[in-house]
Amino acid sequence: WKTYVGRPEADQYRRSAIGVLGNGLFTSERISEALPVLEANLAFCRRYESHDEEAGCQALLCAQGNFANCLEILGRHDEALVLRREVY
C-alpha cells in the first residue's frame, strides 16, 4: 500500500492496493482494522468504477460484499443487510 499511496486517488494501482490491503487484513482476522480500509475501497469503487462496464460493476459488487462480510462479523447485522440487499 505504501508504494501506491502517493499516486492520484483515481489511479487503478492505488485502488487495487487498498482492496488487497483490506482483504489481507480481513483474511488475517484483523477485522476491526479491515473495516475502515474496506469502507474506503467501497467509496473508491463507487466514485471511480464504471457502472456501465461489466468489470467496473463486478468490482463494485465485490467491494460491497467484502464490506458487508466485515460488518457482519463485527455484529453490525443491520448495516450488512442493507449492503447485501443492494448487491442483489
Side-chain angles (χ1 to χ4, degrees):
W1 163 249
K2 289 181 180 182
T3 301
Y4 302 103
V5 73
R7 292 179 180 232
E9 190 176 272
D11 182 83
Q12 71 179 17
Y13 297 110
R14 178 184 171 151
R15 293 192 330 260
S16 178
I18 197 166
V20 170
L21 174 61
N23 291 332
L25 290 168
F26 183 85
T27 302
S28 299
E29 298 181 5
R30 296 168 64 178
I31 308 302
S32 60
E33 294 173 75
L35 183 68
V37 178
L38 292 172
E39 184 174 24
N41 185 48
L42 177 57
F44 286 152
C45 284
R46 285 181 172 158
R47 238 178 283 152
Y48 298 112
E49 295 295 341
S50 172
H51 305 293
D52 298 329
E53 296 178 18
E54 185 177 337
C57 190
Q58 183 179 6
L60 177 60
L61 293 175
C62 285
Q64 281 181 280
N66 291 340
F67 187 53
N69 290 339
C70 197
L71 289 169
E72 185 77 31
I73 289 174
L74 291 171
R76 296 167 61 177
H77 305 290
D78 293 339
E79 294 169 83
L81 183 59
V82 169
L83 282 171
R84 291 188 194 289
R85 285 182 176 160
E86 288 177 17
V87 169
Y88 293 104

